[in-house]
Amino acid sequence: MGSNRLERVAQDPFAEAQSRAASEGRPLGIGLSSYFPLEIFDAFGLAGIRMPPRPMDGYPLGDGILQTFACTVVRSMCETFLRRDLPVGLVGATSGCDALTTVPGILDAAIPTLPVVTFRLPVGVESDAAGRHAAVVLEDLCREVQAILGRPIDAAALDAAILGREAVRVRLDGLFAGLPSRDVQASRVYAAAIAAQVMDVESFLAAFDEAFSASVSSAGSEGIPVLLSGELVPSVQWIRDLEQMGASVVSDDTNTGSREAGRRVRAEEPNRLKAIADSLVHRPVHSPERFVSGRPRGVAGRARAAGAKAAILLHYKFCDPSAFEAPSLVAALREVGIPSVLLEVDRQTTLTGGDRTRVQTLLESLP
Amino acid sequence: MSRFAGLDIGSTATKCAVIEDGRVVMTVVLPSMPDMRLAAENALRECGAEGLPVITTGYGRALHEPRLGQVSEITALAAGVGLVAPDAATVVDIGGQDSKVVRVEAGRVLDFAMNDRCAAGTGRFLEVMSRVLHVPFDQFDDVASEDVEPLPVTSTCTVFAESEVVGLLSLRHPPARILKGVLQSVCSRVASLGRQVGMVAPVVCTGGTVQSRAVVRSLSLALGVPVSVPPSPQRVTAIGAALLCARRAAGGQLPNVG
Amino acid sequence: MIKLRANKRLQTTIRNQVLWTRLGSRIGRPVAWVTSGSPVEMVLAAGFIPFYPENHAAICSARGMALGMAEQTEALGYSRDLCSYFRVDVGSQISGNTPLGRLVPPDVVLVSNNICGTVQNWFRVTAERFNVPLLFLDTPFNDAAPTENDVAYVRDQLVHIAAELSRLGIRTVTEKRLGAVVERSRSALGLWAEVLDMAAEHPAPFTSFDAFVHMAPIVSMRGTRRCISYYRQLRDEVKQRASAGVSSVPDERARVVWDNIAIWPAHKQLKKLFENYHVSLVADTYTSAWTIENLDPSDPFSSLARVYTDIILNHGAAHRVKVLSNMIKKFGAGGFVLHSNRSCKRYSLGQFGVKTALTAETGAAGVVIEADMADPRSVSFDNLQQRLVPFFEVLGANG
């Protein structure tokens, strides 16, 4: 049951977001990046969700406000807001990559009635200064949200949201950490992670515990063990396609997966905003400090420890941070004896013919 | 049974090869369109390979059944090169819709790079530009072999390149010079793919497009190394699939999947 | 059309700067590679010789050397979709190819994300290549002006960077030393602003096509005395032209402003096209980014923190509309050209909205043109011409 529920949501996260907007009494607060802390939206009485992935044939409206050299993630979010088929209470952007940083300005100009707030995340500073400033910036953000919604943040709701979202991440993190044992098929793990982005915390936890309780037996997978690294997993089907080709993800380094699930909010920090800020700035695996911290080596080391024999690097066309990182990631993996292949994702949510050739060749060329 | 078939169902052409005792005994090439499945059946029949164990490869490799297995066209290409050009260290394959550079050793893939997203660097780009220049395909080689200086065509985006070519034509530049420029641009794109894996000599080139001598000359120039063309360059992948089929039938460990 | 006398002097100035860099490094002066938006005053105060990879990439591109360099970088596995300045720079590092004779390797790298997130990644690649320390200045993105907390956060980092540079350089960065450099920057920035402002004269004695070239010293030499003297002479010459009524384009018939970096692979052709249609490019958001007014030598750290966080590319689309709209009014322009630069997302994404808002606010006609600042493969002069000619005709300018 629980598993069915998670898989159903993961199949069409956009539909889940729509149905939540229709059935719940609270408006949606949509975070555009995994660096936007949804706890804040929850605490203001919004239904916090991550922008749901949505298959698209094109961006007929979005192309009118955004050039074609932005990644599909950014293009499709613009398209979605312009289609107005997802009722939005508030949009939460994060300044980060150059494309995402421009989004609030683009939306303001195109849809003046759409309220957008920006979390101006400090980046690239290896010191406590970034965490401290992130907390200050979060306070600014809360004031801005308060001005838009006309009500203050609810401290009790913030505590509850932090606890609830932490519980979700801890469970997901456990699943991703368990990938090397291959007791649970990776596509089910990613389905849970994708569902978590749009489901409310309580229903997610209930569905999760039902799906992954010890009594529910799960067929493990047997393919060639691989690392999957990249930003967003395009769909559960994309993972299933990999599995059908004989690859089995045993090590994850995606925003959908362990990068986000690994974020921990310290319970002992009395300033709750500071605790959230630190959890984002010092996110393990993949933080805004990542470019100063020798991330590729870390990813390669973890992949090797998990027994990965090959690596699949998922790269969104026009995603600059991942394009900058790819060569050093490939090199770090090669150093530990793991060959890799780069799959460039544009709009497609399943593997293309060319991607299949790449993956198959990689797997066939392993000794 | 000592005969084995390899079937390369490509996006433009379907190729079939039959081998016996490690020697190629028969090959055919048919257009894949309009019906890839039918093209595959016809190719097998024309090759006298009906009923033989077959390994399929190429873009449409999943379309044909029954089969002993299927492998990627890069794995098959490397195997085929292992037979027709055993010394080769690098293979450059320019197909109709994609291009690949594969580092090989004893019929196996060491590393590879592939372009399937952008028409630039594929046979398709040449085709489109020949049409813009009104050079019929059967005259392509002659025109591109004329002894004239190529005019640089820098845009590799097909849309931009098209307007650049039209612009050059309107300035009354001779089509031969423009065509050579187009060819140079395709080959430089392939060369940049090659630099990603490293061009180790000896280099052979395969695929339908390299049947043109002009393409081979331009490619060699762009890569900065001599390249050789094995006999029937378009069929090497099918031959490789047939070899892998024989190996698998003999209980060999290749390939991993399929 | 009368050429600026300064054109020749620019060449000499740049050549001397190159020689000085080479000579300086030979006699033991350390070299800092910096981004165009870095507080270069810091490295000057510590006795470093600055070098600007962005500037260098622009020069390579203007001289038609970009393609080969970009291809070298792509061969390492870097996507062709990445910033072309980055690809040119790394390609130049690998090949040793440069129009400047020889590149002087860095002893330290200073980067700020006030102009884009790209440089942060780019300079990290550089720092790793040369195995030198990377100093990073995080300048929070803001809608219009940095908050006091932003300024404090940036100031703290500057103090930390000053300590690092003092350790790595040949002089200690004191408030006094830094103040003196800031004072020199301020003079040069003021002179450059005067030069650009003179394009408000009718006809314009100086255009952005001139500015794109004559900006080199303000980007790469600000904080030095040579920079001040260069711009003093340039200002005097342009002033003379203005009072003599000299027009930069023959028989000026229309005036437009420009958004984004120049299109180096087609720079000369575009300049010619504008001249042929009698259109003056009177102002742009690119070269005017170096006309900062509020530098305060008496409080250099706070002042640098504020100024370098308050940079046009560190603000959103609404701010851009404001800047362009003021420019259109101040310079009496009837139209505007938005260069949608594939290599620069921070500068380009959102220009469609800017165009609509700008026309609504000023009544000026606008056009968005697709190109790239350095990669000739993404620039088609024919396409640009097809876009620009009808636009010029709308403005009443004919060839």
Side-chain angles (χ1 to χ4, degrees):
Chain A
M1 262 309 281
S3 194
N4 282 345
R5 167 96 172 104
L6 295 181
E7 306 229 345
R8 219 168 39 240
V9 172
Q11 198 71 36
D12 191 353
F14 188 78
E16 170 72 10
Q18 277 180 317
S19 94
R20 279 191 69 186
S23 65
E24 286 186 36
R26 0 172 236 173
L28 296 181
I30 303 184
L32 300 186
S33 137
S34 73
Y35 282 107
F36 190 91
L38 293 175
E39 293 91 334
I40 304 288
F41 279 171
D42 295 343
F44 271 102
L46 300 167
I49 63 167
R50 189 80 60 229
M51 185 67 176
R54 180 185 200 185
M56 281 187 179
D57 294 334
Y59 320 91
L61 303 173
D63 284 351
I65 63 168
L66 185 64
Q67 288 99 321
T68 54
F69 50 91
C71 71
T72 186
V73 177
V74 167
R75 292 175 80 188
S76 67
M77 64 180 65
C78 288
E79 177 73 19
T80 294
F81 290 127
L82 287 170
R83 286 190 195 175
R84 295 168 200 263
D85 51 2
L86 185 64
V88 184
L90 193 53
V91 178
T94 306
S95 61
C97 74
D98 289 326
L100 259 184
T101 300
T102 63
V103 165
I106 293 171
L107 292 177
D108 279 342
I111 320 169
T113 52
L114 184 73
V116 184
V117 292
T118 304
F119 174 42
R120 303 181 302 122
L121 179 71
V123 294
V125 177
E126 270 185 312
S127 70
D128 290 341
R132 279 199 306 275
H133 191 61
V136 168
V137 169
L138 263 189
E139 279 171 35
D140 293 346
L141 180 84
C142 289
R143 268 192 294 276
E144 209 182 332
V145 175
Q146 177 171 347
I148 291 171
L149 298 179
R151 57 177 181 269
I153 194 164
D154 179 333
L158 181 62
D159 281 338
I162 290 174
L163 279 177
R165 297 230 170 237
E166 185 84 348
V168 170
R169 288 193 300 269
V170 165
R171 278 173 174 73
L172 289 173
D173 205 27
L175 279 190
F176 283 104
L179 282 175
S181 71
R182 300 211 254 177
D183 292 335
V184 179
Q185 192 137 25
S187 49
R188 285 188 63 211
V189 176
Y190 284 103
I194 290 172
Q197 299 185 343
V198 289
M199 288 177 75
D200 80 278
V201 169
E202 243 170 68
S203 355
F204 175 82
L205 291 177
F208 183 96
D209 291 343
E210 198 175 336
F212 295 102
S213 63
S215 60
V216 180
S217 71
S218 161
S221 56
E222 287 192 349
I224 295 170
V226 300
L227 158 76
L228 176 64
S229 173
E231 310 282 317
L232 297 175
V233 170
S235 70
V236 181
Q237 189 55 48
W238 199 87
I239 302 288
R240 288 203 193 105
D241 286 353
L242 286 179
E243 288 175 338
Q244 270 161 13
M245 302 201 64
S248 166
V249 180
V250 294
S251 183
D252 168 86
D253 167 42
T254 65
N255 270 0
T256 304
S258 57
R259 291 179 185 178
E260 183 171 6
R263 164 160 89 90
R264 289 289 160 276
V265 181
R266 279 177 301 129
E268 65 276 15
E269 167 64 57
N271 176 347
R272 305 315 282 146
L273 292 182
K274 174 80 166 70
I276 293 175
D278 281 338
S279 75
L280 288 160
V281 169
H282 307 299
R283 214 163 77 156
V285 184
H286 184 282
S287 70
E289 314 161 310
R290 66 174 164 148
F291 294 110
V292 197
S293 310
R295 213 185 78 80
R297 260 212 190 125
V299 173
R302 277 189 296 279
R304 196 182 150 83
K309 295 264 188 288
I312 290 164
L313 311 184
L314 191 176
H315 163 70
Y316 278 91
K317 186 159 177 67
F318 299 120
C319 172
D320 289 346
S322 111
F324 269 112
E325 193 185 59
S328 49
L329 197 48
V330 169
L333 287 162
R334 194 183 293 135
E335 244 169 61
V336 298
I338 301 178
S340 55
V341 73
L342 186 92
L343 303 185
E344 189 176 82
V345 174
D346 195 356
R347 237 178 11 226
Q348 70 274 10
T349 54
T350 56
L351 287 187
T352 65
D355 291 340
R356 286 171 185 275
T357 296
R358 287 184 178 87
V359 172
Q360 193 171 343
T361 304
L362 174 71
L363 300 180
E364 286 169 352
S365 69
L366 294 175
Chain B
M1 194 181 298
S2 56
R3 285 190 169 213
F4 301 92
L7 188 57
D8 173 13
I9 310 170
S11 53
T12 314
T14 294
K15 289 78 67 175
C16 185
V18 174
I19 62 160
E20 183 169 8
D21 300 329
R23 285 200 327 272
V24 181
V25 293
M26 180 77 187
T27 60
V28 302
V29 179
L30 296 175
S32 293
M33 288 299 137
D35 183 344
M36 278 190 174
R37 210 180 295 255
L38 196 66
E41 278 169 25
N42 289 342
L44 276 175
R45 196 176 52 246
E46 286 189 25
C47 242
E50 287 165 301
L52 291 186
V54 62
I55 278 190
T56 62
T57 187
Y59 182 76
R61 59 190 177 276
L63 290 176
H64 178 80
E65 300 221 49
R67 56 173 189 253
L68 192 61
Q70 51 105 347
V71 297
S72 89
E73 56 266 37
I74 297 173
T75 301
L77 175 66
V81 167
L83 180 74
V84 302
D87 295 335
T90 310
V91 191
V92 176
D93 184 277
I94 307 180
Q97 308 289 339
D98 63 18
S99 48
K100 317 164 185 95
V101 178
V102 191
R103 288 271 293 106
V104 294
E105 189 180 80
R108 293 187 58 121
V109 176
L110 292 181
D111 198 1
F112 67 97
M114 172 178 168
N115 159 38
D116 62 325
R117 287 293 153 76
C118 173
T122 72
R124 168 109 188 110
F125 190 78
L126 287 179
E127 210 181 300
V128 171
M129 295 308 150
S130 308
R131 207 176 306 140
V132 175
L133 289 164
H134 296 281
V135 174
F137 205 67
D138 57 347
Q139 288 170 28
F140 176 90
D141 209 35
D142 291 338
V143 176
S145 299
E146 281 178 31
D147 187 20
V148 291
E149 264 306 290
L151 271 177
V153 174
T154 46
S155 324
T156 43
C157 167
T158 314
V159 182
F160 275 11
E162 207 170 318
S163 76
E164 196 175 336
V165 164
V166 171
L168 291 172
L169 272 178
S170 72
L171 293 171
R172 297 174 182 271
H173 286 297
R177 290 190 64 193
I178 307 173
L179 190 66
K180 284 184 91 163
V182 166
L183 190 49
Q184 220 172 37
S185 131
V186 169
C187 291
S188 84
R189 192 73 204 254
V190 175
S192 70
L193 202 60
R195 281 191 290 269
Q196 285 177 30
V197 294
M199 296 299 306
V200 181
V203 179
V204 300
C205 56
T206 60
T209 311
V210 303
Q211 293 174 97
S212 150
R213 288 163 297 137
V215 170
V216 177
R217 268 198 306 273
S218 179
L219 191 60
S220 175
L221 219 60
L223 296 172
V225 288
V227 296
S228 60
V229 187
S232 334
Q234 203 180 3
R235 306 169 199 219
V236 179
T237 304
I239 292 169
L243 278 174
L244 292 172
C245 184
R247 216 171 293 166
R248 153 127 355 154
Q253 33 129 239
L254 255 173
N256 271 327
V257 283
Chain C
M1 204 204 60
I2 307 156
K3 273 199 175 152
L4 282 160
R5 287 195 307 276
N7 288 352
K8 211 164 187 96
R9 211 153 49 76
L10 177 67
Q11 283 178 10
T12 319
T13 306
I14 297 288
R15 196 175 317 125
N16 288 346
Q17 169 77 358
V18 170
L19 289 175
W20 163 237
T21 305
R22 226 178 288 160
L23 179 72
S25 82
R26 206 169 297 155
I27 60 170
R29 288 281 295 272
V31 174
W33 284 24
V34 300
T35 56
S36 63
S38 293
V40 66
E41 292 79 5
M42 308 278 294
V43 304
L44 289 173
F48 283 87
I49 300 174
F51 174 76
Y52 289 76
E54 290 160 74
N55 234 0
H56 178 239
I59 295 170
C60 294
S61 180
R63 306 238 178 135
M65 298 170 77
L67 183 55
M69 293 174 178
E71 284 178 342
Q72 300 243 5
T73 308
E74 290 153 22
L76 298 179
Y78 289 102
S79 165
R80 250 189 72 175
D81 298 326
L82 283 173
C83 166
S84 49
Y85 276 1
F86 160 73
R87 286 177 289 128
V88 168
D89 176 44
V90 172
S92 165
Q93 291 174 26
I94 301 167
S95 61
N97 224 340
T98 165
L100 308 185
R102 187 173 68 84
L103 288 186
V104 179
D107 297 294
V108 71
V109 162
L110 174 64
V111 54
S112 171
N113 58 350
N114 55 358
I115 51 166
C116 61
T118 289
V119 286
Q120 188 185 345
N121 297 310
W122 164 3
F123 279 67
R124 177 180 150 66
V125 171
T126 300
E128 283 186 353
R129 248 197 115 65
F130 291 104
N131 195 22
V132 296
L134 174 134
L135 300 177
F136 176 65
L137 181 68
D138 179 30
T139 50
F141 188 83
N142 46 81
D143 281 338
T147 65
E148 287 312 306
N149 285 323
D150 288 345
V151 174
Y153 168 62
V154 177
R155 188 188 187 283
D156 285 351
Q157 295 174 65
L158 284 177
V159 170
H160 169 74
I161 288 172
E164 285 299 296
L165 287 171
S166 303
R167 195 172 59 78
L168 299 163
I170 54 170
R171 281 199 294 265
T172 304
V173 183
T174 58
E175 286 236 354
K176 191 165 164 235
R177 270 205 188 106
L178 189 57
V181 182
V182 166
E183 173 56 37
R184 288 196 287 274
S185 267
R186 192 170 70 129
S187 304
L189 291 164
L191 288 163
W192 179 236
E194 276 189 64
V195 170
L196 295 182
D197 281 353
M198 277 184 278
E201 300 288 332
H202 290 67
F206 184 86
T207 70
S208 287
F209 283 109
D210 302 316
F212 286 147
V213 181
H214 287 277
M215 72 188 286
I218 196 64
V219 177
S220 65
M221 289 165 57
R222 69 180 180 279
T224 68
R225 289 186 186 86
R226 281 162 295 140
C227 186
I228 299 172
S229 97
Y230 179 80
Y231 285 111
R232 201 167 281 145
Q233 288 190 49
L234 179 62
R235 191 251 339 249
D236 292 347
E237 187 189 354
V238 177
K239 207 173 199 170
Q240 257 174 24
R241 282 169 74 113
S243 47
V246 175
S247 178
S248 186
V249 305
D251 183 22
E252 175 185 291
R253 289 181 205 157
R255 298 162 68 90
V256 301
V257 301
W258 174 278
D259 183 43
N260 217 308
I261 301 173
I263 303 173
W264 298 115
H267 185 71
K268 285 189 185 133
Q269 287 164 297
L270 280 171
K271 185 171 191 263
K272 193 95 207 113
L273 182 71
F274 275 71
E275 279 167 12
N276 289 345
Y277 279 80
H278 313 282
V279 180
S280 281
L281 196 54
V282 286
D284 67 277
T285 56
Y286 180 43
T287 61
S288 64
W290 286 270
T291 57
I292 301 152
E293 284 166 359
N294 44 350
L295 268 177
D296 178 3
S298 69
D299 184 8
F301 283 104
S302 301
S303 171
L304 288 174
R306 189 178 304 280
V307 158
Y308 280 98
T309 309
D310 191 6
I311 292 262
I312 185 168
L313 288 180
N314 210 27
H315 303 313
H319 178 77
R320 186 87 54 85
V321 173
K322 207 156 81 192
V323 169
L324 280 163
S325 150
N326 288 340
M327 220 172 241
I328 285 169
K329 288 171 201 154
K330 177 172 169 185
F331 289 87
F336 58 91
V337 177
L338 308 177
H339 166 207
S340 168
N341 179 353
R342 271 180 91 83
S343 270
C344 193
K345 295 185 175 72
R346 181 75 81 85
Y347 215 149
S348 307
L349 297 180
Q351 281 172 325
F352 295 149
V354 169
K355 176 174 182 272
T356 312
L358 207 50
T359 298
E361 201 171 312
T362 64
V367 63
V368 178
I369 52 174
E370 284 271 352
D372 188 277
M373 58 199 180
D375 192 333
R377 292 167 299 184
S378 303
V379 178
S380 157
F381 177 70
D382 296 315
N383 267 35
L384 294 172
Q385 188 169 261
Q386 277 168 30
R387 283 262 166 168
L388 287 171
V389 166
F391 168 69
F392 291 161
E393 285 165 356
V394 166
L395 298 178
N398 294 297

